Amino acid sequence: MLQELQGNYESGLVLLSLVVAMVGAYISLDIAQHIARTSRDMRIPWLFTGAVTFGMSLWSVHFIWVNALHVHIPILENGSATFLSILPVVLASMVAFYMINKGVITYIQVFLAGVIISAGMIVMQIVARTALVMPGVELRFHAVYLFLASFVAFLLAVGSIRLLRKIQQHRSRLRKIGSAIGLGIANTLLYYIGTKAMPIYVRDTKVFTATPFSDNTALVLNVTIMMTVLLAAVLLLGRVENLSMQRLAYYDILTNLPNRRYFIQKYDDLLKGTAKQKGVISCILFDVDHFKWINDTFGYEAGDEFLKQIAKEIRDHAHPTTVVARLDGNRFGLLYRKGKTVEDLQERLESIQESFRGIPFDLGQLEFRPTLSIGASMKEYDNPSYTSLFSHAERALHFAKGNGRNNIQIYNKDIHSNEREHQLLNGMKHAMKRGEFSLYYQPTVSAHPLHYRRAEVLIRWFSEELGQVSPGEFIPLAERSGLITELTEWIVRTALIQLKAWDKEQASIRQLSINISAIHFQYGNVYDLMKRLTDEIEIHPSRIELEITETSVMKNMSQAVATLHQLRELGFRIALDDFGTGLSSLNYLQMLPIDTLKIDQTFVQDIAHDTKKQAIVETIIRLAKHLGMEIVVEGIEENVQYLLMQSYGCDYLQGYYFAKPMRAEELSAVYERNAAQLV
């Protein structure tokens, strides 16, 4: 006759099962928080870990139950069946966790998730109990208690889901601890209700030994191992996620370089170390010239690829101890501690800039050589601060960009400070009234034969208060402040009046080249200005050549082309200045109405020893000739350069080899001497 197997539960082990259930619940809730705030890539690993944790916390209670129940028969288990009993609750938890971690969830989703989890819990208990191997026993199911266990499991699952969502929203540690305690009690209660739902019956208990079967050592060992594995998995995954989040927080995804946040953090650390070691630190900022043009012309994918190439080159040129970062857009930063003097820093920056000039960057159909504007600042150990050093580098970079780009500026408070800028701005507003501006003229020499007929107009400023001020300093400031329109009109008017005076003197100067600022060309209505002044002073437009740069036409190509055609219809000649620097494209040569192409002096430097430069210059000259343009080569300082350009068929030459910029009366005398020699 079958009798229900009766036994006693050891209170200490019951308490242990409760603790295990609570710890498992707490870990599961903690993981749920990670799932809610983790990145997309880490969500699936956390989801899997949470499901396994939830299942193992319930599964481990089974081992405790086996040892907590003291009966007069040996209780053994089928190892493989016991291991497989965890799968139902793990799979059910994964499905449910996935359902409820999609932002806003409905009551139907909560209900379905509760059904899935509770079903997994009941199936786990059934499989675990059927895995028990005991001779002469039979497992039966009690319908009322089985329904009660299923209902409790459902309430437990729904309650867990609701608590999980609240904890995800509020992230309260006390709420999480209280929830874990409640879930632990419910989990333990569920398992012991299960013993009533699935009782074990024996035929004759007298055949068994009276010694109770219990192996607490194995129990503690098993539970310890399982919980240790759980905690280790959670900690390891948390560490992986922290590294992943740290990577996202401190590194630029596109270039794999550190970002601005990392740069500033390292910056502070280096400043502290510099102060302790009484060293020197340099902050260097790189800005890639004309980057917007790449995005506008070739699209953002090409721009991204270009930034990757730039980042690789900067990283390759950096010392292993140097901090390199992409700060934003096309701006990169570098922290450097090797140099001791400004001269050391200048030499290093020139080396970096020169290396970039020699690297062709490939963007599909376009290959070009980028240029860098560089601003830097250097600080000794005496009370350094992030704000001053970084802002000084920013000011130097701003000055480098305003000074025509493609140049290096190391911060000098006498030049780059705001106070200096205010002084220049105030001085410039009164300079024309005081007669502080003057025009200089640099001869443009015909190469075949060598004679002087043309000159380029240059402006100089000698201030009573500031002394001699470089055009590279006040021209960018005039552009930024809006004074460039007024300044350009003064330059053109003065130059035309001087040309009229030379005509009365019957001087041999036939043509003047006048630089037009990119800002003025875009916004200053150059056509109206030039027409008005040439009509007023009675100078034919054909005697004026207007020099523009690529930046003048980049912003609005169609409008620029229309303006240039209007100017040419009046008779003005158009020259493209500084060809070969920045992002020079052959498209400009075929799209723009250009009469003269001015090859930048960077192509002439060291040309006597550089066969590549020789080939490039000769090719440009031939191409321009084929397009019907005249060629002016700048920067001629040696006889060998002059002879090479002459052999290539260059039309005009300019440089210190022939003459430096000079005042009007000096230029007239030089031209008259040249005219006399030709006679």
Side-chain angles (χ1 to χ4, degrees), residues 397-431:
L397 177 61
H398 184 73
F399 192 89
K401 292 170 62 179
N403 196 22
R405 296 184 172 88
N406 189 27
N407 69 91
I408 298 168
Q409 295 289 329
I410 298 177
Y411 180 77
N412 183 324
K413 66 179 181 179
D414 294 332
I415 298 176
H416 305 119
S417 67
N418 287 334
E419 182 180 353
R420 169 74 172 180
E421 187 169 301
H422 292 320
Q423 290 177 339
L424 290 174
L425 191 58
N426 290 331
M428 195 160 29
K429 291 178 180 179
H430 304 287

Side-chain angles (χ1 to χ4, degrees), residues 327-366:
L327 302 181
D328 53 60
N330 58 321
R331 183 168 298 186
F332 297 83
L334 188 149
L335 297 177
Y336 181 58
R337 289 187 59 183
K338 288 291 181 181
K340 298 296 183 182
T341 65
V342 173
E343 289 73 20
D344 293 337
L345 180 60
Q346 180 74 27
E347 183 178 347
R348 178 170 177 79
L349 296 181
E350 288 177 354
S351 174
I352 293 175
Q353 191 178 57
E354 187 61 31
S355 66
F356 268 81
R357 288 173 180 164
I359 300 172
F361 284 79
D362 186 10
L363 290 180
Q365 298 180 350
L366 175 69

Side-chain angles (χ1 to χ4, degrees), residues 492 496 499 511-512 514 516 526-535 539-547 563-575 593-596:
V492 174
L496 294 183
L499 187 59
Q511 192 175 84
L512 291 179
I514 301 176
I516 301 297
V526 174
Y527 174 84
D528 290 343
L529 171 68
M530 297 307 301
K531 186 178 187 306
R532 173 167 56 83
L533 291 180
T534 50
D535 289 346
I539 293 291
H540 195 276
S542 62
R543 301 185 62 186
I544 303 298
E545 186 171 70
L546 302 178
E547 296 189 9
T563 300
L564 293 177
H565 276 298
Q566 289 177 337
L567 289 168
R568 289 189 80 195
E569 287 175 3
L570 287 178
F572 291 101
R573 292 176 58 84
I574 306 299
I594 301 171
D595 299 292
T596 304

Side-chain angles (χ1 to χ4, degrees), residues 142-315:
H142 195 296
V144 175
Y145 282 107
L146 187 60
F147 174 79
L148 179 61
S150 300
F151 183 69
V152 171
F154 174 75
L155 293 179
L156 173 63
V158 172
S160 300
I161 293 170
R162 299 303 300 172
L163 287 171
L164 183 149
R165 296 294 291 180
K166 287 184 178 296
I167 289 171
Q168 286 180 343
Q169 294 170 1
H170 299 288
R171 299 184 182 180
S172 170
R173 184 176 296 275
L174 289 176
R175 186 188 293 268
K176 186 162 60 176
I177 293 174
S179 301
I181 293 173
L183 292 176
I185 294 173
N187 282 344
T188 305
L189 179 63
L190 172 64
Y191 215 95
Y192 289 100
I193 293 176
T195 62
K196 292 292 185 180
M198 291 169 279
I200 298 173
Y201 286 83
V202 297
R203 295 184 182 281
D204 187 1
T205 60
K206 295 181 180 179
V207 299
F208 300 109
T209 177
T211 304
F213 180 83
S214 180
D215 187 1
N216 292 339
T217 302
L219 167 68
V220 174
L221 181 61
N222 286 330
V223 172
T224 302
I225 290 175
M226 285 187 290
M227 299 310 295
T228 301
V229 170
L230 280 177
L231 289 172
V234 173
L235 292 174
L236 179 61
L237 196 58
R239 178 62 177 166
V240 171
E241 184 185 39
N242 287 338
L243 291 175
S244 177
M245 296 299 291
Q246 187 177 32
R247 183 81 184 174
L248 290 174
Y250 289 99
Y251 280 80
D252 175 58
I253 297 176
L254 178 65
T255 62
N256 288 322
L257 288 178
N259 60 16
R260 189 184 190 93
R261 179 183 297 178
Y262 181 95
F263 186 80
I264 292 176
Q265 181 175 325
K266 283 294 183 181
Y267 193 96
D268 292 334
D269 294 340
L270 285 175
L271 285 174
K272 294 174 183 176
T274 302
K276 292 179 181 179
Q277 300 172 14
K278 296 186 178 181
V280 175
I281 183 172
S282 299
C283 177
I284 305 167
L285 301 180
F286 302 90
D287 193 285
V288 183
D289 297 331
H290 308 301
F291 178 69
K292 185 178 183 297
W293 179 84
I294 297 177
N295 280 337
D296 292 345
T297 306
F298 300 98
Y300 288 98
E301 290 185 3
D304 289 346
E305 183 59 34
F306 172 66
L307 287 176
K308 291 179 185 178
Q309 296 180 45
I310 290 288
K312 181 180 182 302
E313 292 300 328
I314 292 178
R315 185 169 47 227

Side-chain angles (χ1 to χ4, degrees), residues 619-657:
T619 301
I620 292 175
I621 291 174
R622 288 181 178 177
L623 177 61
K625 288 284 189 180
H626 183 73
L627 295 175
M629 302 175 187
E630 290 184 342
I631 294 293
V632 177
V633 179
E634 302 174 304
I636 303 297
E637 297 183 358
E638 301 173 356
N639 183 60
V640 64
Q641 296 171 340
Y642 159 58
L643 295 176
L644 276 173
M645 295 305 108
Q646 196 177 46
S647 67
Y648 295 156
C650 177
D651 297 299
Y652 294 93
L653 305 169
Q654 196 175 55
Y656 283 11
Y657 178 73

